[in-house]
C-alpha cells in the first residue's frame, strides 16, 4: 500500500465524543473511583487521565493525592 492509498489518520481525540469525555470526568469528580469508571465505560486508564487533566475542575485538583519525595 502506498502513501496515497492509505486512509487519512484520525485525530487522537476522535474516538470519543466530547460530551462522553466530560461525563466520565464528572463521574470521577463526583466520587466514583477511576477504576470503576474505566470498567463501566470500557475506556483506557491513560485516556481517563488525559481527560481529567484536560476537562477536570478545581475539584479534581484538590482530590488528587499529593506525591512526596
Amino acid at each position: 500500500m502506498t502513501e496515497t492509498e492509505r486512509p487519512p489518520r484520525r485525530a487522537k481525540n476522535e474516538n470519543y465524543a466530547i460530551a462522553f469525555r466530560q461525563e466520565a470526568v464528572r463521574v470521577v469528580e463526583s466520587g466514583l473511583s477511576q477504576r470503576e469508571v474505566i470498567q463501566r465505560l470500557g475506556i483506557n486508564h491513560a485516556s481517563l487521565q488525559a481527560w481529567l487533566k484536560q476537562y477536570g475542575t478545581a475539584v479534581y485538583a484538590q482530590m488528587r493525592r499529593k506525591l512526596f519525595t
Side-chain angles (χ1 to χ4, degrees), residues 29-43:
E29 289 180 343
S30 70
L32 199 61
S33 73
Q34 291 182 20
R35 181 172 291 187
E36 289 180 48
V37 173
I38 289 167
Q39 290 174 349
R40 286 185 183 183
L41 300 179
I43 58 175

Side-chain angles (χ1 to χ4, degrees), residues 43-54:
I43 58 175
N44 187 325
H45 182 262
S47 296
L48 183 59
Q49 289 295 316
W51 299 346
L52 286 166
K53 283 184 179 180
Q54 186 175 8

Side-chain angles (χ1 to χ4, degrees), residues 2-69:
T2 63
E3 195 68 31
T4 57
E5 294 176 6
R6 290 185 186 158
R9 267 185 98 165
R10 292 183 2 199
K12 193 176 189 180
N13 289 326
E14 248 184 55
N15 294 336
Y16 299 100
I18 293 174
F20 179 80
R21 295 180 225 158
Q22 291 172 335
E23 179 64 18
V25 170
R26 188 192 63 74
V27 171
V28 170
E29 289 180 343
S30 70
L32 199 61
S33 73
Q34 291 182 20
R35 181 172 291 187
E36 289 180 48
V37 173
I38 289 167
Q39 290 174 349
R40 286 185 183 183
L41 300 179
I43 58 175
N44 187 325
H45 182 262
S47 296
L48 183 59
Q49 289 295 316
W51 299 346
L52 286 166
K53 283 184 179 180
Q54 186 175 8
Y55 302 109
T57 62
V59 173
Y60 169 69
Q62 291 172 352
M63 287 175 38
R64 289 181 47 194
R65 186 176 7 169
K66 304 229 184 308
L67 298 176
F68 298 99
T69 58

